[in-house]
Amino acid sequence: MRGTQTILTARPPPDPISTYEPNHPESHYPSDLNNLERIWHDRYHFLLQIGFELRPRYRPGWIPSWLNAKGEEVIYEDSLEHLLPQIMDAKRIKDGATVCLKAIYRTPKEADIARYFSSPDLLQEPANHSVPILDVFHDPSAPDFEYLVMPLLRPFDDPEFTVIGEVVDFVTQILEGLAFMHSHNIAHGDCTGANIMMDARPIYPRGWHFKATICAPDGVTFITPLARIDHPVRYYFIDYGLSHRFLPGQSRFVLDWGGRDTDVPELKKLQPYDPFKVDVFTVGNMFFKDLYQKYLGLEFLADLIGFMMNHDPEERPSAQMALQRWRKIKAGLSTSTARWRLRKPDESVGERVVLDTIAVAKQGIRSITHLFNDDSRTW
């Protein structure tokens, strides 16, 4: 990870007056930026100066492409509106890579923890599943803010899982990452599904658009992902805004409202709690809601989920204990089930027959391919 950059403090040139007419009457899209987008538009020159280029929509003097377009196209890349004030995609000029920028208050917690896990030594650890921080820089016009530069990621379930082996890999990576995080005396505090992402480049080798995630980087061309079972992805925890870091020997009880998971028993009352045990419950609850309830055939997760979601925090396991329990469960699974299709409870008989037939056909093709490639992977 690179250190903090030295930023030139010269005031960037003023934005030119827009030459387009906001809310053009013939437009199918709003022809003006929303208030949240203006925040990023106003930082265009500053970001460009330090090596990051925003999309054409945020360039000063932007004229919506559809105002002068001829034809029947209904999708335009620069029509994709952004509604999140903290994060934005950008092209890193030095290599053309698409990255994610996150603007955060300069507090010692989130940025410091994220950078800690991105130190050169820890980045080499296979069990480290904290989002890599590629760079950190400050904004001279907004001294209370700093920017984190991260890889462009996708939600862990976009696209959805398709076979059992993909779920097994996901559970393994998440428990390894949680145990690793806790071993460094850091509790995440909000490790719900919303804060678990994946590096989807193996299944989208040509990339995807930050806003139109079903499209290629051009924002128009629809794309189909490759299968995770054949192109494994890596999962990451993100967002340490509610995290807690402790010194060795320090009391591990805290007093706050916790994260998004409203099912955690000890958070139903405002009283001191152990955030490490809350993390374990939250991850178990994520496995329950986002995997066990969503797909059939995952009965092997029941014991692990019950173990992690014990309502008594004193009886609830540590992350390391949950990982050990999972490894025993995983060792008992037959590798022949790795490519079994995941079914959903609401599938009709007709849907099930069609989807099973397609899955068997794909499996046959894969099996032949593996014979020629001598591919011995099972999970």
Side-chain angles (χ1 to χ4, degrees):
M1 183 191 72
R2 292 161 48 194
T4 303
Q5 296 185 5
T6 300
I7 306 301
L8 298 179
T9 57
R11 184 180 299 276
D15 297 334
I17 299 175
S18 300
T19 56
Y20 62 88
E21 181 182 351
N23 300 317
H24 193 283
E26 298 179 0
S27 172
H28 294 288
Y29 310 102
S31 299
D32 199 7
L33 303 179
N34 63 52
N35 290 335
L36 299 178
E37 290 180 307
R38 290 292 306 182
I39 297 173
W40 290 99
H41 166 277
D42 292 345
R43 308 312 299 139
Y44 183 88
H45 285 302
F46 162 69
L47 294 171
L48 187 65
Q49 185 182 33
I50 62 171
F52 299 98
E53 182 179 19
L54 299 182
R55 282 181 274 131
R57 180 180 176 89
Y58 305 107
R59 292 173 184 166
W62 166 66
I63 300 176
S65 60
W66 60 88
L67 296 186
N68 299 318
K70 297 179 181 180
E72 299 299 325
E73 284 195 57
V74 295
I75 300 177
Y76 297 89
E77 191 279 334
D78 62 338
S79 72
L80 298 171
E81 191 175 17
H82 190 62
L83 300 174
L84 298 175
Q86 278 190 293
I87 62 172
M88 177 62 73
D89 61 309
K91 181 176 74 173
R92 190 167 57 186
I93 295 174
K94 71 175 184 179
D95 58 6
T98 301
V99 296
C100 181
L101 307 180
K102 181 177 183 180
I104 61 172
Y105 280 108
R106 292 179 61 181
T107 59
K109 185 160 55 175
E110 180 171 6
D112 286 354
I113 291 175
R115 283 183 287 193
Y116 170 74
F117 282 124
S118 289
S119 64
D121 290 341
L122 294 188
L123 278 178
Q124 305 304 314
E125 294 287 345
N128 181 1
H129 286 271
S130 176
V131 58
I133 303 302
L134 307 177
D135 205 349
V136 180
F137 57 87
H138 305 295
D139 187 338
S141 69
D144 292 334
F145 283 87
E146 64 184 350
Y147 294 83
L148 302 181
V149 183
M150 298 172 286
L152 183 64
L153 304 175
R154 294 174 72 98
F156 77 90
D157 55 355
D158 177 22
E160 295 183 329
F161 296 102
T162 58
V163 296
I164 287 178
E166 295 170 354
V167 170
V168 171
D169 182 42
F170 172 73
V171 172
T172 301
Q173 289 194 42
I174 295 305
L175 289 179
E176 286 179 345
L178 187 66
F180 180 85
M181 186 188 309
H182 286 189
S183 73
H184 287 262
N185 299 313
I186 294 173
H188 187 280
D190 193 22
C191 42
T192 54
N195 285 328
I196 297 175
M197 308 285 281
M198 68 171 164
D199 180 353
R201 288 175 298 176
I203 58 175
Y204 292 102
R206 295 185 178 180
W208 64 93
H209 194 280
F210 177 69
K211 286 298 297 178
T213 58
I214 61 173
C215 294
D218 64 8
V220 176
T221 307
F222 288 99
I223 53 177
T224 301
L226 302 174
R228 291 193 225 190
I229 192 68
D230 295 309
H231 305 272
V233 300
R234 187 166 178 82
Y235 301 97
Y236 292 108
F237 290 98
I238 66 167
D239 195 349
Y240 292 95
L242 297 178
S243 299
H244 297 279
R245 186 176 186 179
F246 300 89
L247 297 174
Q250 183 181 359
S251 171
R252 292 191 170 193
F253 282 84
V254 299
L255 182 63
D256 58 31
W257 292 106
R260 293 179 179 87
D261 189 350
T262 59
D263 296 331
V264 181
E266 53 265 47
L267 295 182
K268 296 184 183 298
K269 297 180 180 179
L270 187 58
Q271 58 187 19
Y273 66 90
D274 182 343
F276 295 91
K277 293 298 184 72
V278 168
D279 277 357
V280 171
F281 185 99
T282 300
V283 170
N285 201 17
M286 182 270 295
F287 290 159
F288 176 66
K289 292 182 175 180
D290 294 335
L291 300 176
Y292 190 79
Q293 286 190 322
K294 188 173 182 178
Y295 303 104
L296 300 175
L298 299 181
E299 291 79 9
F300 57 86
L301 289 178
D303 177 69
L304 174 70
I305 291 171
F307 189 49
M308 297 178 69
M309 293 183 66
N310 192 312
H311 276 230
D312 183 354
E314 294 292 331
E315 299 296 325
R316 197 178 304 150
S318 66
Q320 184 61 40
M321 292 169 62
L323 175 60
Q324 292 172 349
R325 174 72 67 95
W326 168 242
R327 284 172 173 164
K328 291 180 180 179
I329 295 171
K330 180 182 174 183
L333 299 177
S334 171
T335 55
S336 64
T337 65
R339 294 186 180 277
W340 286 8
R341 185 179 74 84
L342 289 170
R343 299 184 175 95
K344 294 186 176 181
D346 58 353
E347 284 181 2
S348 67
V349 174
E351 288 174 327
R352 184 165 298 177
V353 170
V354 171
L355 293 173
D356 283 348
T357 301
I358 294 174
V360 169
K362 288 182 177 179
Q363 174 60 37
I365 294 173
R366 289 194 190 100
S367 297
I368 294 173
T369 303
H370 292 165
L371 288 175
F372 283 99
N373 292 342
D374 192 27
D375 189 341
S376 59
R377 290 177 299 169
T378 54
W379 294 107

